[in-house]
Amino acid sequence: MDNVDLNLLVALDVLLAEASVTTAARRLGLSTSAMSRTLTRLRTATGDPLLVRAGRRLVPTPYALTLRDHVHTLSRDVHAVLRPRTDRLDLATLTRTFTLRANEAFIAFFSVPLMTAVAEAAPGVCLRFAPKPNKDAAPIREGLIDLEIGVAETSAPEMRVQALFDDRLVGVAREGHPLLGNVTPERYAACQHVAASPKGDTFGPVDQALALLGLKRQIRIVVPGFPDAMRIARHSDLIAQVPRSCLGNALAGDQAGQLGLQSFELPVETPSFTIAAMWHPRMDADPAHRWLRQLVGALCRAAY
């Protein structure tokens, strides 16, 4: 677009409004000679004199008169587009569907408080939780996913990442389980276990730490997600290991007790991990998306 100069549009709008090179120059902060040169360029671009002398003043040509209102509208729209956003987000009237991708644990323990907060602030907003079969970044890049919640890692370097909270693995067992009260690596490994793994993998950080001691878990069942593992542990003698966030806001045995479970510290050290919100840079400046990100962050900070 080397032959298009939007400054000419603005200048034409002012010239047609003022019908004076001197006054137009003053409004635009230009010299009279610079404004005269601009009028010459406009005449060349449009193929019309636009303003012609009538005595001691300039008057618009018939073609200029047909352009005046249209040029003014275009100039106003250009100014509106090429200035910083000043629109204010009205949550009360916001109508929008946000698609979030998160694992079962986040949905199970955060979807209700998140939806409650959203409904209170923005009743026209709908939350859609999408399946999370893997960590493929393509759906986020393509705009199919607005916000992803999960371990702070991504294969897409351009993604924005905002840490929400640090998490770690803990053990859970039914109330009154014989293991509780004396959890040693040997007694822990000797128990029967339920493992949570969407892909069916069963060897993780706990197993690595146990292996250094010459120990191995006895896994009797593998389920897709942590809520399933907790449910099985509650109704059996099997032991589960889950992120501490799965226990809810209490972060202690009280909340687990309400689920019929008791949590305990694992008898071996395992690394902590950061749970984060991830999104595509195209959503950075979107006011509604920013509000959702801030709301998710506030809920997680309140819980952890």
Side-chain angles (χ1 to χ4, degrees), residues 121-189:
V125 167
C126 173
L127 297 182
R128 173 181 174 267
F129 283 95
K132 189 175 183 178
N134 51 50
K135 297 181 180 180
D136 183 14
I140 305 181
R141 284 173 166 162
E142 296 168 5
L144 302 177
I145 301 295
D146 294 303
L147 191 66
E148 173 154 8
I149 309 296
V151 178
E153 57 184 27
T154 175
S155 59
E158 78 273 21
M159 293 300 171
R160 301 291 190 260
V161 179
Q162 175 187 344
L164 297 175
F165 59 88
D166 289 328
D167 210 348
R168 59 188 176 84
L169 292 174
V170 296
V172 292
R174 66 167 176 82
E175 291 182 317
H177 194 285
L179 174 67
L180 299 173
N182 184 23
V183 184
T184 65
E186 293 76 14
R187 296 188 74 230
Y188 176 80

Side-chain angles (χ1 to χ4, degrees), residues 92-299:
T93 61
L94 179 63
T95 302
R96 187 159 169 182
T97 296
F98 290 104
T99 300
L100 294 83
R101 188 168 68 176
N103 61 28
E104 281 186 325
F106 184 90
I107 297 173
F109 296 99
F110 279 93
S111 58
V112 172
L114 178 58
M115 190 62 250
T116 300
V118 167
E120 182 177 336
V125 167
C126 173
L127 297 182
R128 173 181 174 267
F129 283 95
K132 189 175 183 178
N134 51 50
K135 297 181 180 180
D136 183 14
I140 305 181
R141 284 173 166 162
E142 296 168 5
L144 302 177
I145 301 295
D146 294 303
L147 191 66
E148 173 154 8
I149 309 296
V151 178
E153 57 184 27
T154 175
S155 59
E158 78 273 21
M159 293 300 171
R160 301 291 190 260
V161 179
Q162 175 187 344
L164 297 175
F165 59 88
D166 289 328
D167 210 348
R168 59 188 176 84
L169 292 174
V170 296
V172 292
R174 66 167 176 82
E175 291 182 317
H177 194 285
L179 174 67
L180 299 173
N182 184 23
V183 184
T184 65
E186 293 76 14
R187 296 188 74 230
Y188 176 80
C191 291
Q192 297 186 350
H193 295 256
V194 51
S197 172
K199 297 181 180 180
D201 302 327
T202 59
F203 193 85
V206 173
D207 302 284
Q208 293 176 357
L210 289 172
L212 294 176
L213 301 175
L215 301 172
K216 183 179 179 181
R217 287 191 300 161
Q218 301 180 42
I219 297 174
R220 291 292 176 259
I221 185 172
V222 181
V223 294
F226 296 117
D228 296 323
M230 293 175 68
R231 183 170 57 253
I232 291 173
R234 184 171 66 246
H235 295 293
S236 72
D237 280 340
L238 271 65
I239 303 296
Q241 53 172 310
V242 301
R244 199 179 186 201
S245 58
C246 286
L247 304 182
N249 295 346
L251 286 182
D254 292 343
Q255 182 70 16
Q258 296 175 17
L259 302 174
L261 293 169
Q262 186 169 335
S263 65
F264 59 89
E265 297 297 326
L266 294 171
V268 291
E269 289 191 14
T270 58
S272 62
F273 47 93
T274 299
I275 301 300
M278 292 159 278
W279 66 94
H280 195 274
R282 73 162 67 89
M283 306 306 295
D284 264 352
D286 182 83
H289 194 277
R290 185 186 303 117
W291 164 75
L292 179 65
R293 300 194 307 260
Q294 292 172 347
L295 180 59
V296 170
L299 286 173

